[in-house]
Amino acid sequence: LNIANLLNSHKAKYASLDSTVARIRGSEFALLCPGVTQSEMVNLRNSLTQKLTAFYATGMSDQQPVAYSSMVPFSAGDNPQALLIQADRLLVEAETHTDHQVVPTTEIATASEDQHLWFVRLEQALENQQFQLVYQPVVDCHQPDNVLHYKVLSRIVDEQGNTINAGRFLPWIHRFGWSHRLDKVMLKLTLNQLKAAPGKLALSISGSSLTNEATISDLLSPLKYAPRLASQLILELDENQLPGANQMAMFVKAVNQHHCSLGLQHFGSRFDMIGHLSQWGLAWLKIDSSYIRNIDQEKDKRLFIEVLCNAARSIDLPLIAERVETEGELHVLQELGIDGAMGQLLGEPAPR
């Protein structure tokens, strides 16, 4: 538990919001840090090593060294199993090093070059609003031909004309502190789309756009001049990026004033807050895909969703399942009475 707490504190200090701490097995832990440069990861590791050494010095551990560490760079599309094998190999090597740490001798591109490339690429995309919008259908769980709304997603095109999905560039957007800029660009582009083709669209908004009344007002200002379009828009917040109570109250009030709707996505780990959700007047709750994947094979996931369904029904809150990928998953969701679903099985993101 002490190790896990230490990793979480270092993640909060040195890494991005998208970073993850995981327990692999027994006393082995992993820290996954997208968008963190090599030099920053070295700083994280050095600080972590100092803290671990203090564990032994203060009697919190009777082993010296307290832990061995290794660092493995990764890129989008890398095979997870291959990365784990490489990490295991490096950990074995670390046991023979005097500093008990090791990094690969062959590095991917230099971190500074990679960071500069992304900075220039994303600055240009934001300045010129060069984001391609694609739309993923969200359908009635019991009548999949009935589209409830479309989820707005974004892509950019690199210097060679290759399409880059948001999963690759969002960590850099967060890292450069440009989430609010991206939200403003995406809202403008989404409103333009609603002008051209009316319909219900859901757009994700980052927690950094809700830090205070000024950022909220700045974000939502285009809605003042487009009330008809605002009524077709649903703004979605991530469960793990919810602001404090005061900021949330300000945002809910502003959303209501502009006559657009509010949704919550990637929900699941903060089940304890479901009793408070009725105060926000949510259009729906989207269940995180980790609770949906293999729900037809894992009884504990089915039980969790059953409990969630009962709680949501008590406050008249519709539920939508994220990333439904198999007929078996869809069948279970239909049995449980889930209202909506989205995912590869039901429709890939595409231009309109």
Side-chain angles (χ1 to χ4, degrees):
L1 182 58
N2 289 329
I3 297 292
N5 289 337
L6 183 62
L7 286 170
N8 274 313
S9 66
H10 276 67
K11 182 193 78 167
K13 183 176 180 180
Y14 292 95
S16 66
L17 291 173
D18 294 330
S19 297
T20 301
V21 174
R23 185 176 185 179
I24 299 176
R25 56 181 176 270
S27 58
E28 292 187 12
F29 292 84
L31 181 56
L32 186 67
C33 301
V36 173
T37 65
Q38 172 102 5
S39 61
E40 290 170 333
M41 203 65 195
V42 169
N43 291 337
L44 185 155
R45 184 195 63 185
N46 291 341
S47 175
L48 190 61
T49 300
Q50 292 177 359
K51 296 293 185 182
L52 289 170
T53 302
F55 277 14
Y56 178 77
T58 57
M60 294 178 66
S61 172
D62 57 0
Q63 296 184 26
Q64 177 67 356
V66 177
Y68 299 97
S69 67
S70 67
M71 298 193 320
V72 179
F74 67 93
S75 299
D78 285 351
N79 182 279
Q81 189 62 33
L83 291 174
L84 287 173
I85 291 172
Q86 186 181 9
D88 284 339
R89 178 178 60 79
L90 292 173
L91 281 174
V92 172
E93 290 183 25
E95 294 181 18
T96 65
H97 284 232
T98 55
D99 63 355
H100 313 298
Q101 304 167 359
V102 68
V103 297
T105 55
T106 303
E107 299 178 2
I108 302 181
T110 63
S112 58
E113 289 177 352
D114 199 35
Q115 183 172 2
H116 178 70
L117 173 65
W118 279 106
F119 186 95
V120 173
R121 177 185 290 161
L122 291 172
E123 171 65 30
Q124 180 178 342
L126 288 166
E127 187 66 25
N128 300 307
Q129 301 182 13
Q130 295 173 331
F131 291 86
Q132 297 179 347
L133 301 192
V134 289
Y135 309 86
Q136 184 166 27
V138 179
V139 305
D140 187 316
C141 198
H142 301 276
Q143 296 179 303
D145 291 335
N146 179 24
V147 177
L148 303 177
H149 66 272
Y150 287 90
K151 173 70 176 182
V152 180
L153 304 170
S154 62
R155 298 171 177 169
I156 60 174
V157 177
D158 68 12
E159 299 74 15
Q160 288 74 43
N162 301 311
T163 299
I164 303 176
N165 291 328
R168 284 189 59 197
F169 67 76
L170 279 180
W172 288 103
I173 289 284
H174 297 325
R175 169 172 186 71
F176 297 140
W178 291 344
S179 296
H180 183 61
R181 288 182 67 189
L182 177 63
D183 287 346
K184 291 174 63 178
V185 170
M186 288 296 296
L187 180 56
K188 183 175 181 179
L189 293 176
T190 301
L191 290 175
N192 289 341
Q193 171 62 30
L194 285 172
K195 287 180 185 177
K200 286 282 186 180
L201 296 181
L203 176 67
S204 295
I205 298 297
S206 70
S208 61
S209 286
L210 315 182
T211 51
N212 53 56
E213 189 172 3
T215 57
I216 293 172
S217 177
D218 184 46
L219 172 68
L220 300 182
S221 59
L223 301 180
K224 296 178 182 178
Y225 311 103
R228 181 180 59 83
L229 303 180
S231 66
Q232 303 173 59
L233 182 65
I234 308 98
L235 301 178
E236 292 188 329
L237 299 177
D238 284 10
E239 176 198 70
N240 63 353
Q241 291 190 30
L242 290 176
N246 291 337
Q247 293 96 320
M248 191 64 196
M250 286 189 292
F251 184 63
V252 170
K253 181 180 178 180
V255 167
N256 290 335
Q257 287 175 341
H258 290 297
H259 306 291
C260 56
S261 301
L262 180 63
L264 192 60
Q265 64 182 358
H266 309 326
F267 185 83
S269 63
R270 298 181 65 180
F271 180 82
D272 58 309
M273 69 180 295
I274 197 166
H276 303 286
L277 300 183
S278 60
Q279 304 171 14
W280 299 344
L282 296 178
W284 58 65
L285 200 63
K286 287 183 176 175
I287 308 167
D288 189 77
S289 61
S290 61
Y291 301 96
I292 304 301
R293 190 177 305 113
N294 299 323
I295 192 174
D296 53 326
Q297 303 170 34
E298 300 179 28
K299 293 182 179 179
D300 57 333
K301 290 184 178 180
R302 177 171 182 142
L303 178 60
F304 174 79
I305 298 302
E306 280 188 284
V307 174
L308 179 58
C309 282
N310 290 334
R313 288 192 191 105
S314 69
I315 57 174
D316 196 27
L317 180 59
L319 294 176
I320 294 173
E322 297 178 341
R323 293 188 65 177
V324 179
E325 298 184 350
T326 69
E327 292 286 354
E329 292 169 353
L330 180 62
H331 181 68
V332 170
L333 297 171
Q334 290 170 336
E335 287 184 340
L336 293 174
I338 297 294
D339 301 280
M342 59 187 295
Q344 185 177 7
L345 177 70
L346 303 162
E348 296 277 13
R352 291 184 72 185

